[in-house]
Amino acid sequence: MPDSIAVIISTYNKPDDLRCVLEGYRLQTDQHFSIYVADDGSGEETRTLIDNMRAAYPVPLHHIWHKDDGFRLSEIRNRALLAVSEPYVLITDGDCIPFPALIASHRRLCKRGSFLTGSRLLLSEGFSTQVRQQDIDLHDLTTTATLLSLRRSKSINRIWPAFIPPLIGIENSKLSGLRGCHMSFWLKDLQTINGYDQSFTGWGREDSDITARLFHAGLTRRNLYGTPLLHLWHQEFSRNSLSDNDATLQSCLNEKRVEAVYGLSQLAEKLKTHSQPLQ
């Protein structure tokens, strides 16, 4: 079991969503973690939110930012990975609210030679608006009574994953069914495969790529059942880059590539050469 976990939360100009997510991590039963907000170029509203929350936050709260230059999720995650000091890393999104036992589950169930992937529950558009407007008490959001009420009103797509204890399925090497909403890894394993591949620009397939390269490096995937995330509704991202990213992923699969073409090592050299700070 790692002494502490680095939680990397990606975000872009959604301070209301990020506030809800950070409040969810404030309520964790296991406080052995630090947060690194991987900010893909948000404006001052996001920076102000993080600065205001930091002073009274129960765990270290870091803000990793680069300028807005299009959808660069892989790069901002790599920037965050270069900043972490914890041995184990949980990657998640800035629109996914955790249940109180999320950190405890990932920390207790992690295993050398593998990584964990989790699931999510989808909130409706109307209910997501209520959550963002702070009409909902996050302390009560994950209780049995609230979840049953949400299901009856069709404000959530399903609830059964919230009622089973955290458990691990059979180890596998499958890309199917993968959701990037919460995945956790040993930092050393991510360093071995050179982190996220920044060849992926625009939305799509960066999580499949890093999973495939971990498989090629000999690791297995372990699905975490129970302890899902609550995913706030949002409009879909542009799919304009999806065909190119599909081709890049297929190339990785065909070559059985282990290391990212442009990943952690290349980014570190770039930042060093241009004397760019991580934050």
Side-chain angles (χ1 to χ4, degrees), residues 109-163:
L109 295 171
C110 67
K111 176 185 174 183
R112 295 285 184 182
S114 66
F115 58 97
L116 292 174
T117 63
S119 63
R120 63 189 182 180
L121 309 178
L122 304 179
L123 301 180
S124 69
E125 180 179 1
F127 186 71
S128 295
T129 298
Q130 288 183 266
V131 174
R132 292 183 178 109
Q133 293 176 346
Q134 304 183 56
D135 293 337
I136 304 299
D137 186 347
L138 289 183
H139 286 85
D140 298 329
L141 187 55
T142 59
T143 64
T144 298
T146 299
L147 290 170
L148 289 171
S149 176
L150 291 176
R151 188 67 186 121
R152 284 194 295 269
S153 65
K154 298 183 179 180
S155 296
I156 194 169
N157 69 324
R158 56 180 183 152
I159 58 174
W160 68 265
F163 295 130

Side-chain angles (χ1 to χ4, degrees), residues 140-191:
D140 298 329
L141 187 55
T142 59
T143 64
T144 298
T146 299
L147 290 170
L148 289 171
S149 176
L150 291 176
R151 188 67 186 121
R152 284 194 295 269
S153 65
K154 298 183 179 180
S155 296
I156 194 169
N157 69 324
R158 56 180 183 152
I159 58 174
W160 68 265
F163 295 130
I164 61 175
L167 55 88
I168 297 296
I170 298 172
E171 294 187 33
N172 66 85
S173 298
K174 298 179 180 179
L175 287 178
S176 60
L178 180 70
R179 293 289 182 269
C181 51
H182 60 122
M183 304 172 67
S184 63
F185 319 83
W186 291 97
L187 178 60
K188 185 176 180 181
D189 292 331
L190 294 181
Q191 292 168 338

Side-chain angles (χ1 to χ4, degrees), residues 36-106:
Y36 299 79
V37 177
D39 187 346
D40 195 17
S42 300
E44 280 302 311
E45 192 174 355
T46 295
R47 183 177 297 278
T48 299
L49 168 72
I50 295 170
D51 288 344
N52 289 342
M53 294 187 72
R54 184 180 286 120
Y57 209 69
V59 301
L61 175 57
H62 308 280
H63 186 197
I64 311 300
W65 178 92
H66 62 191
K67 68 179 181 179
D68 187 357
D69 189 20
F71 191 105
R72 294 188 293 158
L73 179 59
S74 292
E75 179 173 339
I76 195 60
R77 282 177 170 172
N78 278 343
R79 282 181 179 249
L81 287 171
L82 290 173
V84 304
S85 56
E86 293 79 3
Y88 198 75
V89 182
L90 170 66
I91 308 286
T92 186
D93 296 327
D95 52 18
C96 291
I97 302 171
F99 277 62
L102 183 75
I103 295 295
S105 298
H106 277 271

Side-chain angles (χ1 to χ4, degrees), residues 176-231:
S176 60
L178 180 70
R179 293 289 182 269
C181 51
H182 60 122
M183 304 172 67
S184 63
F185 319 83
W186 291 97
L187 178 60
K188 185 176 180 181
D189 292 331
L190 294 181
Q191 292 168 338
T192 296
I193 64 168
N194 203 21
Y196 284 86
D197 195 334
Q198 295 169 211
S199 304
F200 290 83
T201 58
W203 182 88
R205 304 299 185 250
E206 62 282 327
D207 292 319
S208 296
D209 171 79
I210 201 167
T211 298
R213 288 186 288 110
L214 286 166
F215 290 157
H216 298 162
L219 278 76
T220 56
R221 170 184 170 186
R222 301 166 70 231
N223 293 332
L224 171 59
Y225 297 101
T227 324
L229 297 175
L230 297 171
H231 185 269

